[in-house]
Short mmCIF file of all heavy atoms in Angstrom, two decimals:
data_model
loop_
_atom_site.label_atom_id
_atom_site.label_comp_id
_atom_site.label_asym_id
_atom_site.label_seq_id
_atom_site.Cartn_x
_atom_site.Cartn_y
_atom_site.Cartn_z
N ASN O 321 50.11 82.27 -13.01
CA ASN O 321 49.09 83.09 -13.65
C ASN O 321 48.79 82.60 -15.06
O ASN O 321 47.63 82.60 -15.50
CB ASN O 321 49.53 84.55 -13.70
CG ASN O 321 49.66 85.16 -12.30
OD1 ASN O 321 49.01 84.71 -11.36
ND2 ASN O 321 50.49 86.17 -12.17
N ALA O 322 49.84 82.19 -15.77
CA ALA O 322 49.65 81.72 -17.14
C ALA O 322 48.84 80.44 -17.19
O ALA O 322 47.95 80.28 -18.03
CB ALA O 322 51.01 81.52 -17.81
N VAL O 323 49.12 79.52 -16.28
CA VAL O 323 48.38 78.25 -16.27
C VAL O 323 46.91 78.50 -15.90
O VAL O 323 46.01 77.87 -16.48
CB VAL O 323 49.03 77.27 -15.27
CG1 VAL O 323 48.14 76.05 -15.07
CG2 VAL O 323 50.40 76.83 -15.78
N GLU O 324 46.65 79.43 -14.99
CA GLU O 324 45.26 79.77 -14.66
C GLU O 324 44.54 80.31 -15.89
O GLU O 324 43.39 79.95 -16.15
CB GLU O 324 45.23 80.80 -13.53
CG GLU O 324 45.45 80.23 -12.14
CD GLU O 324 45.16 81.24 -11.05
OE1 GLU O 324 44.95 82.43 -11.38
OE2 GLU O 324 45.14 80.85 -9.88
N ARG O 325 45.21 81.18 -16.64
CA ARG O 325 44.58 81.73 -17.85
C ARG O 325 44.37 80.63 -18.89
O ARG O 325 43.36 80.64 -19.60
CB ARG O 325 45.47 82.84 -18.41
CG ARG O 325 44.86 83.54 -19.64
CD ARG O 325 43.51 84.14 -19.30
NE ARG O 325 42.76 84.50 -20.50
CZ ARG O 325 41.46 84.25 -20.67
NH1 ARG O 325 40.77 83.64 -19.71
NH2 ARG O 325 40.85 84.62 -21.77
N LEU O 326 45.30 79.69 -18.97
CA LEU O 326 45.12 78.58 -19.90
C LEU O 326 43.89 77.76 -19.57
O LEU O 326 43.13 77.35 -20.46
CB LEU O 326 46.36 77.67 -19.88
CG LEU O 326 47.52 78.08 -20.79
CD1 LEU O 326 48.73 77.20 -20.53
CD2 LEU O 326 47.11 77.99 -22.26
N TYR O 327 43.66 77.53 -18.29
CA TYR O 327 42.46 76.80 -17.89
C TYR O 327 41.20 77.60 -18.25
O TYR O 327 40.19 77.02 -18.67
CB TYR O 327 42.50 76.50 -16.39
CG TYR O 327 43.32 75.29 -16.04
CD1 TYR O 327 44.49 75.39 -15.29
CD2 TYR O 327 42.94 74.02 -16.47
CE1 TYR O 327 45.25 74.27 -14.97
CE2 TYR O 327 43.69 72.90 -16.15
CZ TYR O 327 44.84 73.03 -15.40
OH TYR O 327 45.59 71.93 -15.11
N ASP O 328 41.26 78.92 -18.09
CA ASP O 328 40.12 79.76 -18.48
C ASP O 328 39.86 79.67 -19.98
O ASP O 328 38.71 79.58 -20.43
CB ASP O 328 40.37 81.21 -18.08
CG ASP O 328 40.37 81.42 -16.57
OD1 ASP O 328 39.80 80.57 -15.86
OD2 ASP O 328 40.94 82.42 -16.11
N ILE O 329 40.94 79.69 -20.76
CA ILE O 329 40.78 79.60 -22.22
C ILE O 329 40.21 78.25 -22.62
O ILE O 329 39.33 78.16 -23.49
CB ILE O 329 42.14 79.85 -22.91
CG1 ILE O 329 42.57 81.30 -22.72
CG2 ILE O 329 42.06 79.51 -24.40
CD1 ILE O 329 43.96 81.61 -23.26
N ARG O 330 40.68 77.17 -21.99
CA ARG O 330 40.14 75.84 -22.29
C ARG O 330 38.66 75.77 -21.91
O ARG O 330 37.86 75.13 -22.61
CB ARG O 330 40.93 74.76 -21.57
CG ARG O 330 42.26 74.44 -22.24
CD ARG O 330 42.98 73.30 -21.51
NE ARG O 330 42.19 72.08 -21.52
CZ ARG O 330 42.21 71.19 -22.50
NH1 ARG O 330 42.96 71.39 -23.57
NH2 ARG O 330 41.49 70.09 -22.42
N THR O 331 38.27 76.43 -20.83
CA THR O 331 36.86 76.48 -20.46
C THR O 331 36.05 77.21 -21.52
O THR O 331 34.95 76.77 -21.91
CB THR O 331 36.69 77.17 -19.09
OG1 THR O 331 37.41 76.43 -18.10
CG2 THR O 331 35.22 77.23 -18.70
N ASP O 332 36.58 78.34 -22.00
CA ASP O 332 35.89 79.09 -23.05
C ASP O 332 35.79 78.27 -24.34
O ASP O 332 34.76 78.30 -25.03
CB ASP O 332 36.61 80.41 -23.31
CG ASP O 332 36.48 81.39 -22.16
OD1 ASP O 332 35.55 81.21 -21.35
OD2 ASP O 332 37.29 82.33 -22.07
N LEU O 333 36.85 77.55 -24.66
CA LEU O 333 36.81 76.70 -25.85
C LEU O 333 35.77 75.59 -25.70
O LEU O 333 35.09 75.23 -26.68
CB LEU O 333 38.20 76.09 -26.10
CG LEU O 333 39.27 77.02 -26.63
CD1 LEU O 333 40.64 76.34 -26.61
CD2 LEU O 333 38.94 77.49 -28.04
N SER O 334 35.63 75.08 -24.50
CA SER O 334 34.60 74.05 -24.26
C SER O 334 33.20 74.63 -24.42
O SER O 334 32.30 73.96 -24.94
CB SER O 334 34.77 73.48 -22.85
OG SER O 334 36.01 72.79 -22.72
N LYS O 335 33.02 75.89 -23.99
CA LYS O 335 31.73 76.54 -24.19
C LYS O 335 31.42 76.70 -25.67
O LYS O 335 30.29 76.42 -26.12
CB LYS O 335 31.71 77.91 -23.50
CG LYS O 335 31.72 77.86 -21.98
CD LYS O 335 31.72 79.25 -21.39
CE LYS O 335 31.73 79.22 -19.87
NZ LYS O 335 31.76 80.59 -19.28
N LEU O 336 32.41 77.14 -26.42
CA LEU O 336 32.22 77.26 -27.87
C LEU O 336 31.93 75.90 -28.50
O LEU O 336 31.04 75.77 -29.34
CB LEU O 336 33.48 77.86 -28.50
CG LEU O 336 33.63 79.38 -28.48
CD1 LEU O 336 35.02 79.77 -28.96
CD2 LEU O 336 32.57 80.04 -29.34
N ARG O 337 32.65 74.91 -28.06
CA ARG O 337 32.48 73.56 -28.61
C ARG O 337 31.08 73.03 -28.32
O ARG O 337 30.46 72.38 -29.17
CB ARG O 337 33.53 72.63 -27.99
CG ARG O 337 33.64 71.25 -28.61
CD ARG O 337 34.85 70.54 -28.02
NE ARG O 337 35.09 69.27 -28.67
CZ ARG O 337 34.61 68.11 -28.22
NH1 ARG O 337 33.87 68.09 -27.11
NH2 ARG O 337 34.86 66.99 -28.85
#
Side-chain angles (χ1 to χ4, degrees):
N321 295 334
V323 170
E324 281 190 352
R325 183 58 195 137
L326 275 173
Y327 278 114
D328 291 339
I329 292 175
R330 282 182 61 86
T331 299
D332 290 341
L333 287 171
S334 295
K335 290 179 180 179
L336 277 171
R337 190 172 186 267

